[in-house]
Amino acid sequence: MEVFDSNKVSSRPESLYDWMQEDRARTLRESGWAGTSRKYEHKCVGTGPNCKLAQATFGADKSVSDRAIASEHPPTPDYGFYAFNERFSHKNRPGGLRLTAAQSKDLYGAVAYANTLGLVMNCHVSITWGLLGILDHTEAANALTHRVIKALRQWHKDHTGRDQLAWLYVHENGRIHGFHTHLMLAIPNDLRLAFRDWLESRLSDVCRLDSMPKEAWHVTTPPSDPIGRQWTYFQYLIKGMDENEALPARVGWNSHIPVSRLIKFGLENPGDVRCRKKCGVSNLIGAKARQTAGFRSLLDQGVTDVRRLYAGLDYLDHLRRSILPMGDPEVRRLLEIEERVQSIIKSEEENRKRYEKQRRQSRKNRRVALKEEAIMQAKVEDFQAAERARREEVLRLFKI
């Protein structure tokens, strides 16, 4: 008895070959496999009805399939090697009050300016207000600023002797955890454990609870790699960005780069935050303090290279103005990074000159697109207003 060999299928009679292709096409179609992979896997080249259906749906060959995929999912612009790749996220889920580019730039500038003052935002706190019995968003936001942060300033002053508490926060409203707050702070390493105990006691007093669920609050203050962790916390805090928000870029052939490409986390819907302010920073590192000091962050200067944005050289500048502890391994690491950044700055200058014409055209195209979008949005709003007026008129006639 002859053993069937799939590798010799091409030598089989044409009718059998068509039958095998037809069976393969039917199996793939009914199982839902065809078209689910990026590879062109179905390869149904028979002449039967199932093969023709597969060819009509997914393309007769790989080139046709690739063109169809490219038309439905156009590739994102190339922003260079030194921005994070886009990640799968729930950014397209409707609803939610997302962060803007201006807010993300303000938060970045606050963290960078804190570093110039010698303060590293090395502590990340998350508070889930619903688990603490506070369901109203405005009430929770007020409890954070007036009853937690205000008391924390006094606690910090009592333990350090300095009224220099740097903090920033972002509110979110998750589908699972409800309304919660992400808070970044600059807490000295020797006060980490004391701060954890103080926060638990303070939240218990604010919420009038004898015991609190452990899931209601969380403090992360590892002592290692403070600069790296600081920027990781920052990127996590702004993951509720609007996918369409972009910032000016000084290099490359695109005049603007999406803020989502400057963080390593996928975008997430921050939910419907129903309080006046979605995010905030302390006066010590706020916009007014930065303006008074004449400080401009790298994002203010149009730098979008993530190797520079999160290098921590603002903190190294502070150390230089005081006493540079060369024996500190963190200082040695920052000095090594500084050497690499100098070469990056030189290449940025060359890149800026080379692609100035393309960036100018990109800015022009962006202005035209934004103008057309504004016109379309105005038309939509006028149409919606007219529809509301028409419905109200109909309801009024029915009442008469």
Side-chain angles (χ1 to χ4, degrees):
M1 179 178 180
E2 181 182 2
V3 178
F4 173 71
D5 185 358
S6 59
N7 294 326
K8 298 180 179 179
V9 65
S10 59
S11 64
R12 310 290 294 179
E14 189 66 25
S15 59
L16 181 59
Y17 180 66
D18 285 345
W19 176 84
M20 291 175 59
Q21 289 295 317
E22 183 71 5
D23 183 68
R24 176 180 174 82
R26 182 177 62 254
T27 301
L28 290 173
R29 179 173 60 81
E30 293 177 352
S31 63
W33 290 350
T36 59
S37 172
R38 293 183 179 181
K39 297 180 179 179
Y40 187 84
E41 292 184 343
H42 53 85
K43 300 177 183 177
C44 303
V45 295
T47 58
N50 285 286
C51 285
K52 291 182 178 179
L53 181 60
Q55 294 166 17
T57 306
F58 303 109
D61 53 42
K62 189 176 186 304
S63 62
V64 176
S65 178
D66 289 343
R67 287 197 300 271
I69 293 175
S71 64
E72 294 183 4
H73 307 283
T76 57
D78 183 7
Y79 295 103
F81 297 106
Y82 305 115
F84 294 115
N85 294 327
E86 277 199 318
R87 288 163 170 75
F88 172 79
S89 65
H90 301 287
K91 61 185 180 182
N92 293 322
R93 191 159 60 88
L97 182 62
R98 292 170 169 80
L99 288 173
T100 65
Q103 288 172 327
S104 65
K105 187 166 67 171
D106 180 59
L107 294 175
Y108 176 88
V111 176
Y113 183 60
N115 289 171
T116 66
L117 301 177
L119 304 173
V120 180
M121 311 291 280
N122 60 340
C123 180
H124 175 221
V125 178
S126 59
I127 304 172
T128 304
W129 297 100
L131 296 179
L132 297 177
I134 302 179
L135 301 178
D136 184 79
H137 294 190
T138 300
E139 183 182 352
N142 291 336
L144 173 71
T145 54
H146 301 304
R147 304 188 64 186
V148 176
I149 293 179
K150 186 175 181 180
L152 179 58
R153 285 186 58 187
Q154 186 61 48
W155 177 89
H156 184 269
K157 184 177 181 180
D158 293 341
H159 285 75
T160 64
R162 293 173 293 133
D163 189 12
Q164 279 194 318
L165 178 63
W167 51 263
L168 60 88
Y169 69 83
V170 174
H171 293 313
E172 295 180 351
N173 186 22
R175 291 178 294 176
I176 298 176
H177 301 295
F179 185 75
H180 59 280
T181 301
H182 294 288
L183 182 67
M184 281 182 67
L185 301 157
I187 300 295
N189 282 334
D190 56 345
L191 294 178
R192 290 181 298 119
L193 297 180
F195 168 71
R196 191 188 302 269
D197 295 337
W198 177 89
L199 181 63
E200 180 178 11
S201 175
R202 185 59 187 168
L203 289 176
S204 178
D205 291 341
V206 169
C207 303
R208 300 178 182 178
L209 297 175
D210 296 331
S211 62
M212 297 190 303
K214 294 185 179 298
E215 300 82 5
W217 63 283
H218 183 72
V219 179
T220 307
T221 58
S224 62
D225 190 17
I227 296 295
R229 294 182 188 277
Q230 163 192 266
W231 290 119
T232 298
Y233 299 154
F234 164 77
Q235 294 172 60
Y236 184 76
L237 256 65
I238 66 169
K239 67 184 184 301
M241 280 297 310
D242 188 324
E243 63 172 317
N244 299 315
E245 290 290 307
L247 288 170
R250 64 185 296 179
V251 298
W253 43 89
N254 291 287
S255 64
H256 289 70
I257 182 172
V259 182
S260 61
R261 300 295 295 272
L262 303 180
I263 62 176
K264 65 180 181 180
F265 297 98
L267 298 184
E268 296 291 341
N269 192 320
D272 185 14
V273 177
R274 299 184 299 276
C275 60
R276 187 173 65 87
K277 291 182 64 177
K278 179 170 175 57
C279 59
V281 302
S282 61
N283 292 333
L284 178 66
I285 56 177
K288 187 175 181 179
R290 300 196 303 270
Q291 184 179 8
T292 302
F295 174 80
R296 295 182 70 236
S297 70
L298 292 177
L299 280 183
D300 292 328
Q301 301 172 40
V303 175
T304 55
D305 189 325
V306 295
R307 298 173 301 173
R308 291 188 60 189
L309 290 177
Y310 308 126
L313 297 188
D314 291 312
Y315 184 64
L316 182 61
D317 291 340
H318 161 76
L319 295 177
R320 278 205 175 95
R321 291 193 300 269
S322 54
I323 299 176
L324 196 62
M326 295 302 298
D328 189 338
E330 182 69 14
V331 172
R332 293 198 301 270
R333 187 181 70 85
L334 289 174
L335 289 173
E336 293 174 358
I337 293 175
E338 186 183 40
E339 291 182 5
R340 296 196 294 269
V341 166
Q342 292 303 322
S343 62
I344 295 173
I345 294 175
K346 183 178 179 180
S347 63
E348 279 186 352
E349 185 63 23
E350 297 173 353
N351 183 289
R352 185 183 64 82
K353 295 178 180 179
R354 183 183 308 119
Y355 295 108
E356 179 61 32
K357 184 176 180 181
Q358 288 89 331
R359 283 199 307 278
R360 194 181 302 116
Q361 183 63 40
S362 176
R363 285 192 292 268
K364 181 179 179 180
N365 295 340
R366 178 179 173 83
R367 287 194 297 269
V368 172
L370 291 176
K371 183 177 180 180
E372 292 177 350
E373 183 180 350
I375 294 174
M376 180 60 65
Q377 182 64 29
K379 291 181 178 179
V380 170
E381 292 175 356
D382 291 343
F383 176 78
Q384 292 174 343
E387 286 294 308
R388 286 194 298 270
R390 192 177 296 111
R391 286 196 297 269
E392 292 173 359
E393 180 64 19
V394 170
L395 291 175
R396 187 184 67 81
L397 291 175
F398 272 107
K399 288 181 181 180
I400 294 175

